[in-house]
Amino acid sequence: MISFTQVMLLAGMSIAKEREQGTFDQLLVTPLHPSQILIGKAVPPVLIGLFQAVAIFFIARFWFQIPCAGSLAAILWTLIFFMVSSTGIGLSISAISENMQQVLIYVLVLMIPMALLSGMATPVANMPQVLQAFTYIDPMRFAIDAVRRIYLEGATLFEVRWDFLPMFLIGAVTIPAAGWLFRHKTN
């Protein structure tokens, strides 16, 4: 949850800040292709989110002595998919926002339902059918399921592969959508 919040805010604020400062148009006329700019804006939040998540993993494992039944590599792959999909959502929010305050509002409005629908507090199976349908567009649902199964049950990457597909699809839709919105949005 901590990494999710940080990644969404960083990704969302990156373009909104450029737009507020008036440097976004200058960025678009550089020799870089817009997809390269988008990748440059997406990589730092992903790396920061991974760093935070790994730090929390090490605190849980070595400070609180909670044994990990699965592999660190499986957890890292899950986190990479999750961070990329979260970054895509953050960049999409940034693309539709006029300023940093709007990004903050959009992120908070989206983040609370996403956290509640993720299965972190209440199992998805216990939610009403209508809400269960909404959980399929929440990358946190699949990240929590995969990490929980890897960390506590010792699941392998093969066993949690179906959790990767929705996160991949969310990233594959939101990142290109953010790129398209950046190029075609008029202020």
Side-chain angles (χ1 to χ4, degrees), residues 48-168:
I48 290 170
L50 282 173
F51 174 77
Q52 287 179 334
V54 169
I56 291 168
F57 169 79
F58 282 120
I59 290 169
R61 177 66 192 98
F62 297 112
W63 184 313
F64 292 108
Q65 302 295 318
I66 302 171
C68 178
S71 73
L72 180 60
I75 290 175
L76 282 175
W77 276 109
T78 303
L79 291 173
I80 289 168
F81 275 91
F82 175 59
M83 295 303 155
V84 169
S85 62
S86 300
T87 300
I89 294 170
L91 288 172
S92 297
I93 289 171
S94 184
I96 63 171
S97 300
E98 298 293 327
N99 53 47
M100 292 194 304
Q101 289 80 17
Q102 284 183 4
V103 169
L104 185 61
I105 296 298
Y106 287 141
V107 167
L108 290 175
V109 166
L110 274 177
M111 190 175 46
I112 293 169
M114 289 175 83
L116 291 174
L117 293 174
S118 69
M120 185 171 51
T122 305
V124 173
N126 293 349
M127 295 178 190
Q129 290 294 324
V130 173
L131 294 180
Q132 285 184 29
F134 281 112
T135 66
Y136 286 102
I137 59 171
D138 184 357
M140 195 183 316
R141 173 207 174 162
F142 302 102
I144 286 175
D145 180 60
V147 169
R148 185 179 288 153
R149 289 174 52 209
I150 293 167
Y151 198 94
L152 299 176
E153 300 170 12
T156 63
L157 278 174
F158 183 77
E159 293 170 333
V160 296
R161 70 189 180 280
W162 296 113
D163 286 324
F164 291 167
L165 182 62
M167 290 188 288
F168 173 79

